[in-house]
Amino acid sequence: MASAPPITNNPDIRYLGRVLGDVIRAYGGDALFRRIEYIRSASVDRHRGIAGADSIDPGLDSLSLDETLDFVRSFMLFSMLANLAEDRQGIAAEPGADVEHAIARLKEHGIGPERIAELLEHALVAPVLTAHPTEVRRKSMIDHRNRIAELMALKDQGVTETPDGDLIDEGIVRQVALLWQTRVLRQERLYVADEVETALSYLRDVFLPTLPALHARWDRALGSRVPAFLRPGNWIGGDRDGNPFVTADSLRLTLSRSAETVLSHYLDAVHALGAELSISSHHAQIDADVAALAERSGDDAASRADEPYRRALSGIYARLAATYRALTGKPAPRPGALTGERYPDPAAFRADLATVAHGLAAHGAETLASSGALGRLIRSVDIFGFHLATLDMRQNSAVHERVIAELLKVAGVEGDYAALDEDARVELLRRELASPRPLTSRYASYSEETASELAIVHAAAQAHERYGRAAIRQYIVSMAQSVSDLLEVHVLLKEAGLYVPGDAPQAHIMAVPLFETIGDLEAAPGIMRAWFALPEIAAIAKTRGHQEVMIGYSDSNKDGGYLTSTWGLSKGSTALKPVFEEAGIGMQLFHGRGGAVGRGGGSSFQAIQAQPAGTVQGRIRITEQGEVIAAKYGTRESAQTNLEAMASATLLASLEPQQLSGADAARFEDAMETLSGTAFTAYRDLVYGTEGFRSFFRQMTPIAEIAGLKIGSRPASRKKSDAIEDLRAIPWVFSWAQARVMLPGWYGVGAALSEFEDRGLLREMAAGWPLFASALANMEMVLAKSDMGIAGRYAALVEDRALGDAVFGRIRDGWRTTHDQLLEVTRQTRLLEKHPALETSIRLRLPYIEPLNLLQVELLKRHRAGETDPKIEQGILLSINAIATALRNSG
């Protein structure tokens, strides 16, 4: 095996590392600094292969508990700063992952701007923020990190002082010092309201300014105004699946705070426009519509008598302030002197802004009308409306079944709905949907669960009246396994007036099935064919123009392993395509991806392009979860990079001709079917077929301790059970990452590759099939971050040594096989040989992760042995935080 090249830190890492060292010396003392520096240098030397480094005592055993806590914090902060430095260096940016390159690629295939514009007329690209608990860092830590990024950007420009007069270098030291003295761990568990505020901070500070700027860039690239096709979504406050703390109040809070956020932004923008558009009627011709808008404003100040644009904007501001008051129940942050009638909807607000823009354009001020602050504001209204981000509702199908059964029983319609077979359920539900009679009665009493679900749909109906239908468009049905699972949602919506029966029935919110397990994905085409066979459903979908289907990466991986999940999702998407074509309905796939490779993580640019031909169709939604949100959208610069990558990949996946010939595609798919079958058997045999595996997993990994992190509002398991089937995919993946096994991201693949005889075909697939290439590339990253030597230390925590040795032996052997097979198929002599930037990134941080793992193992031993010093538990939680920060995409 070829040796890896020497690691060369980028200048930012060296600079920020020195600053952190100076801060530790200044605030922790010289003795602490020297201890930490000794451990750091010893670990770095060992990883660099310096002679004799293995014999050096790393110094971990000599640390007191207080020093251990400081040491863990120092390594976590170095990792955070290294992540910042790499983001600035552009390691996350992929070559060609922008719209201009996509346009150029499409042009090579004879696809011009007109065809792209035609696609964009009905396109949707939506990153959907979720509260899935994999972000271990407090918001305070992220805020300091972002401030350092801002100061570093000023430093790049050669600036030595901030606009406030502070020296840049001193400002960076100050922020690092604040990081060192900021508490890392949350003391209280997160509540839904906390998660809502965190999401709003990203939407307010990053999405609101970034999306209009990106659309303006795309206008220039295409030579015409593109529709607002990239719009954010949100699950926080609407996702009830397994989270009893999300209620109707949560939904109302989310939407109210979202409206408050976006309307505040609009008020500031209109106020700034009023200051800017000082055009006098003495020096410019004024359009009649603008003059009329000015007259209606009620602004009769003598100082503005000759400034119709300012007067018009005064009226717009007054109406917007009234809208703010009506939607939030609060006075506007900057109340104006005028009063006005609230805007009934965003379209009315936009119409007034368009009047101002048209007036400017009509008399030679096209630049003032189409670009600048006014152009950005009009684009913002197109993207964000009065709701900011579309909120999805989500609930498990089992809950719907219980609620519908109770409603039918109390109403005297059906005494035992649960006992009915599928055909009988569908027939009964369709009868209810055709009837204008409600099922519920104000005089009846219902269980707490049913009352809560009814309150949610009524809150959704109120949201439509208050904020417009764009506020809530989708209702995700988790564990959807039948047509009746979707009809049950429509019956609930009907109770709130969100499903309207009649000759032309209407569904104001779309029921979206979530197919999660391998079996669910295989059954998806049959369920959707039966769904579209219902005349009322087909009519609703055709009127809407599309139907969404969500596919789950996390649970399919936990169910069938990495390769089978990857292939099952691709096959499921492919099999759905003809079903939608037969029905004459557009397909919109919603990809439930997480941060870790085991939950669908990896490059969005590659993943979207690797989707099966014809399945993107210009419309795609993708979940953004946990630590990925801060990594991708922590700053405007990183957000622009990642959002543009999503947009460009969607254009390419929708319009670029298929590169594979039909014969090659058939060969590759047959091979993948064989590989998937072998990998599935190997994975299931280990995880679900090995006696004692459940105990092995819970004792080897810090799964129990992760619950103490207080990083989310929802429980780790769906049921009170220690079965792996009932464990949520997030803690499953997260805990394997902590132990440096990363099992969900590779296990079973080695067996599949080694048993496949046609090596040449595998190499063809790796070189020429985006799906297979992307799967191998993501797996390669996971293998590079795993470490079986360290994992062995965790395996020693298993109380039954025979069980621990036997199961870990299988895992270790599987890793070696996967590693060797990957190198052979990709023609490399070491992992990441063809990806030097990523290789350097991972190798840089490995010396900082290993001591954290070693300390974590020792602290776990002491904790599990019954030691009660609270600093031991605090050290475990800090180490979990630090390891996750260093690994970056571990959850």
Side-chain angles (χ1 to χ4, degrees):
M1 181 180 297
S3 60
I7 298 175
T8 55
N9 293 2
N10 76 49
D12 285 352
I13 293 179
R14 290 196 297 271
Y15 170 73
L16 292 171
R18 283 197 303 271
V19 171
L20 176 60
D22 291 343
V23 165
I24 292 172
R25 184 187 283 110
Y27 290 90
D30 192 61
L32 174 65
F33 170 78
R34 283 188 281 106
R35 280 183 179 273
I36 291 172
E37 179 59 22
Y38 176 78
I39 296 170
R40 187 198 69 79
S41 59
S43 185
V44 169
D45 288 347
R46 187 163 54 255
H47 276 267
R48 288 180 174 175
I50 294 176
D54 286 340
S55 63
I56 297 175
D57 178 4
L60 293 172
D61 293 342
S62 64
L63 294 175
S64 68
L65 278 175
D66 285 330
E67 289 171 332
T68 294
L69 299 181
D70 286 336
F71 164 75
V72 173
R73 283 197 304 124
S74 71
F75 270 38
M76 183 211 64
L77 290 180
F78 175 82
S79 296
M80 178 184 282
L81 295 173
N83 293 345
L84 166 62
E86 289 178 353
D87 291 343
R88 282 171 39 77
Q89 196 181 40
I91 284 178
E94 299 170 82
D98 59 79
V99 169
E100 287 192 357
H101 278 87
I103 293 171
R105 272 176 61 174
L106 292 172
K107 186 176 180 181
E108 293 174 1
H109 298 289
I111 299 169
E114 299 82 7
R115 179 69 186 91
I116 296 173
E118 182 184 339
L119 176 81
L120 293 180
E121 283 298 324
H122 65 270
L124 172 68
V125 178
V128 181
L129 306 185
T130 80
H132 287 42
T134 61
E135 174 57 85
V136 293
R137 297 169 298 175
R138 291 178 62 212
K139 185 65 168 55
S140 299
M141 304 288 288
I142 295 171
D143 288 343
H144 289 309
R145 180 259 189 212
N146 290 344
R147 181 57 182 151
I148 294 170
E150 293 170 1
L151 292 168
M152 293 289 285
L154 290 174
K155 190 178 175 73
D156 291 341
Q157 300 167 17
V159 177
T160 58
E161 293 184 5
T162 69
D164 297 325
D166 295 331
L167 293 174
I168 298 292
D169 286 323
E170 287 185 4
I172 293 171
V173 171
R174 187 179 303 115
Q175 292 300 317
V176 174
L178 288 168
L179 273 173
W180 177 251
Q181 296 175 95
T182 296
R183 174 170 41 82
V184 175
L185 300 173
R186 297 183 180 94
Q187 291 183 324
E188 302 292 334
R189 74 172 179 84
L190 280 176
Y191 293 91
V192 176
D194 301 319
E195 294 169 335
V196 168
E197 292 304 318
T198 298
L200 286 176
S201 70
Y202 289 105
L203 291 164
R204 178 189 62 242
D205 300 336
V206 178
F207 282 82
L208 270 170
T210 298
L211 285 179
L214 279 175
H215 281 84
R217 180 189 300 172
W218 300 332
D219 287 347
R220 293 189 294 271
L222 285 165
S224 62
R225 183 177 176 85
V226 302
F229 71 94
L230 203 160
R231 302 192 295 273
N234 182 22
W235 269 18
I236 305 166
D239 176 14
R240 314 189 302 291
D241 183 13
N243 191 342
F245 305 110
V246 176
T247 63
D249 287 339
S250 305
L251 185 141
R252 280 189 284 264
L253 170 70
T254 302
L255 291 170
S256 175
R257 287 288 294 117
S258 297
E260 184 178 340
T261 299
V262 73
L263 289 170
S264 294
H265 177 78
Y266 295 160
L267 285 165
D268 288 343
V270 171
H271 179 76
L273 277 172
E276 179 180 283
L277 294 182
S278 56
I279 298 169
S280 170
S281 57
H282 298 318
H283 302 298
Q285 188 175 352
I286 305 302
D287 184 80
D289 289 339
V290 173
L293 192 59
E295 287 302 312
R296 291 197 302 271
S297 70
D299 184 356
D300 56 3
S303 60
R304 290 187 291 275
D306 68 329
E307 296 174 338
Y309 286 98
R310 280 182 166 170
R311 291 170 59 211
L313 287 163
S314 293
I316 292 172
Y317 188 94
R319 294 195 67 185
L320 195 60
T323 308
Y324 182 98
R325 215 165 28 247
L327 296 188
T328 69
K330 304 175 183 178
R334 188 191 293 110
L338 303 178
T339 58
E341 181 183 352
R342 62 163 287 188
Y343 284 112
D345 51 44
F349 173 44
R350 188 193 191 282
D352 279 356
L353 295 175
T355 296
V356 175
H358 292 155
L360 291 167
H363 299 289
E366 180 65 41
T367 300
L368 294 177
S370 60
S371 60
L374 179 56
R376 288 193 297 273
L377 178 55
I378 292 173
R379 178 72 78 178
S380 295
V381 179
D382 291 339
I383 297 169
F384 303 107
F386 288 164
H387 62 283
L388 183 59
T390 298
L391 180 66
D392 288 0
M393 302 167 70
R394 183 170 79 128
Q395 183 55 284
N396 196 287
S397 61
V399 174
H400 298 143
E401 180 182 329
R402 292 194 296 268
V403 169
I404 292 298
E406 182 175 351
L407 293 180
L408 291 169
K409 184 174 183 179
V410 171
V413 175
E414 171 55 53
D416 193 357
Y417 174 76
L420 300 180
D421 62 23
E422 175 65 7
D423 289 343
R425 288 188 182 192
V426 169
E427 182 181 350
L428 172 57
L429 296 170
R430 290 183 68 197
R431 283 202 309 271
E432 286 301 318
L433 289 172
S435 169
R437 168 191 52 77
L439 273 175
T440 53
S441 168
R442 69 177 64 185
Y443 304 108
S445 59
Y446 300 100
S447 67
E448 183 178 348
E449 179 178 63
T450 295
S452 176
E453 294 302 305
L454 289 171
I456 281 278
V457 293
H458 282 287
Q462 293 162 6
H464 273 206
E465 293 175 4
R466 200 173 184 87
Y467 309 105
R469 291 183 184 175
I472 303 174
R473 292 187 182 276
Q474 283 92 0
Y475 191 130
I476 314 295
V477 184
S478 298
M479 300 304 291
Q481 297 173 335
S482 65
V483 167
S484 63
D485 287 340
L486 301 178
L487 290 174
E488 287 164 2
V489 170
H490 278 177
V491 171
L492 282 173
L493 294 174
K494 176 172 167 279
E495 293 303 304
L498 293 169
Y499 182 98
V500 183
D503 294 336
Q506 303 172 53
H508 299 321
I509 293 178
M510 174 171 40
V512 176
L514 168 50
F515 300 115
E516 301 177 79
T517 67
I518 300 300
D520 291 343
L521 290 166
E522 291 173 348
I527 293 172
M528 296 311 298
R529 183 171 281 110
W531 180 241
F532 293 143
L534 304 179
E536 63 273 33
I537 298 302
I540 290 169
K542 286 178 180 176
T543 299
R544 186 190 302 119
H546 66 275
Q547 165 69 47
E548 181 170 282
V549 170
M550 185 173 185
I551 51 177
Y553 289 67
S554 303
D555 285 291
S556 62
N557 178 288
K558 185 161 69 75
D559 182 43
Y562 175 61
L563 196 65
T564 302
S565 171
T566 300
W567 181 229
L569 290 160
S570 179
K571 279 200 307 179
S573 302
T574 302
L576 284 169
K577 180 173 173 282
V579 175
F580 279 73
E581 289 174 345
E582 291 164 11
I585 295 165
M587 181 167 69
Q588 177 173 299
L589 291 180
F590 184 10
H591 297 261
R593 305 174 80 225
V597 167
R599 298 202 309 112
S603 163
S604 296
F605 183 64
Q606 293 180 11
I608 294 172
Q609 289 185 90
Q611 293 305 304
T615 61
V616 177
Q617 302 176 9
R619 302 186 68 90
I620 191 168
R621 298 207 304 150
I622 299 176
T623 53
E624 302 286 22
Q625 306 180 9
E627 79 277 16
V628 171
I629 296 176
K632 293 174 70 171
Y633 309 115
T635 65
R636 295 183 191 180
E637 292 75 18
S638 61
Q640 283 188 350
T641 297
N642 287 287
L643 291 168
E644 180 130 38
M646 287 180 66
S648 57
T650 301
L651 290 181
L652 292 170
S654 302
L655 296 175
E656 194 168 34
Q658 176 75 358
Q659 301 299 306
L660 283 180
S661 69
D664 283 344
R667 288 192 305 128
F668 293 172
E669 289 166 6
D670 286 345
M672 193 66 157
E673 188 69 24
T674 300
L675 291 167
S676 173
T678 307
F680 179 79
T681 299
Y683 174 85
R684 293 287 303 188
D685 185 54
L686 175 73
V687 175
Y688 297 101
T690 301
E691 186 175 352
F693 185 86
R694 183 188 310 176
S695 297
F696 170 87
F697 162 67
R698 291 190 174 276
Q699 292 176 22
M700 176 184 175
T701 72
I703 177 67
E705 290 77 11
I706 285 170
L709 272 176
K710 303 179 177 69
I711 58 176
S713 65
R714 72 178 188 174
S717 292
R718 289 186 169 93
K719 303 175 183 177
K720 292 182 178 180
S721 160
D722 67 350
I724 292 176
E725 292 88 340
D726 295 328
L727 181 69
R728 289 193 178 276
I730 291 170
W732 165 255
V733 172
F734 195 94
S735 51
W736 283 118
Q738 287 287 312
R740 301 292 298 285
V741 180
M742 315 282 194
L743 183 139
W746 59 267
Y747 195 84
V749 183
L753 295 176
S754 64
E755 292 182 24
F756 196 85
E757 295 181 358
D758 192 339
R759 316 305 291 174
L761 178 55
L762 290 178
R763 293 193 182 103
E764 281 187 70
M765 293 163 63
W769 192 18
L771 174 70
F772 196 60
S774 175
L776 292 184
N778 287 333
M779 186 179 75
E780 186 174 358
M781 177 186 67
V782 167
L783 292 174
K785 290 184 177 182
S786 59
D787 188 311
M788 289 300 107
I790 292 175
R793 304 284 190 110
Y794 285 86
L797 296 171
V798 179
E799 296 171 6
D800 184 335
R801 293 304 315 130
L803 173 67
D805 291 344
V807 176
F808 182 68
R810 290 175 62 185
I811 292 173
R812 184 180 56 233
D813 291 346
W815 186 93
R816 288 173 180 161
T817 300
T818 306
H819 169 273
D820 294 347
Q821 290 294 316
L822 175 73
L823 294 184
E824 181 184 338
V825 169
T826 58
R827 297 180 183 273
Q828 297 181 104
T829 59
R830 66 176 187 277
L831 292 175
L832 301 176
E833 183 179 2
K834 296 179 180 178
H835 306 280
L838 182 57
E839 179 186 30
T840 298
S841 169
I842 292 175
R843 288 180 58 218
L844 170 72
R845 62 193 63 240
L846 289 179
Y848 295 84
I849 305 176
E850 180 180 298
L852 294 170
N853 284 121
L854 297 177
L855 274 175
Q856 186 181 90
V857 169
E858 292 307 309
L859 292 170
L860 286 170
K861 285 180 183 177
R862 295 173 65 176
H863 180 64
R864 294 176 183 182
E867 291 193 40
T868 57
D869 191 322
K871 291 177 182 176
I872 293 176
E873 183 178 7
Q874 186 180 359
I876 292 171
L877 299 180
L878 275 173
S879 70
I880 292 171
N881 190 303
I883 292 167
T885 300
L887 290 172
R888 300 210 76 172
N889 53 353
S890 61

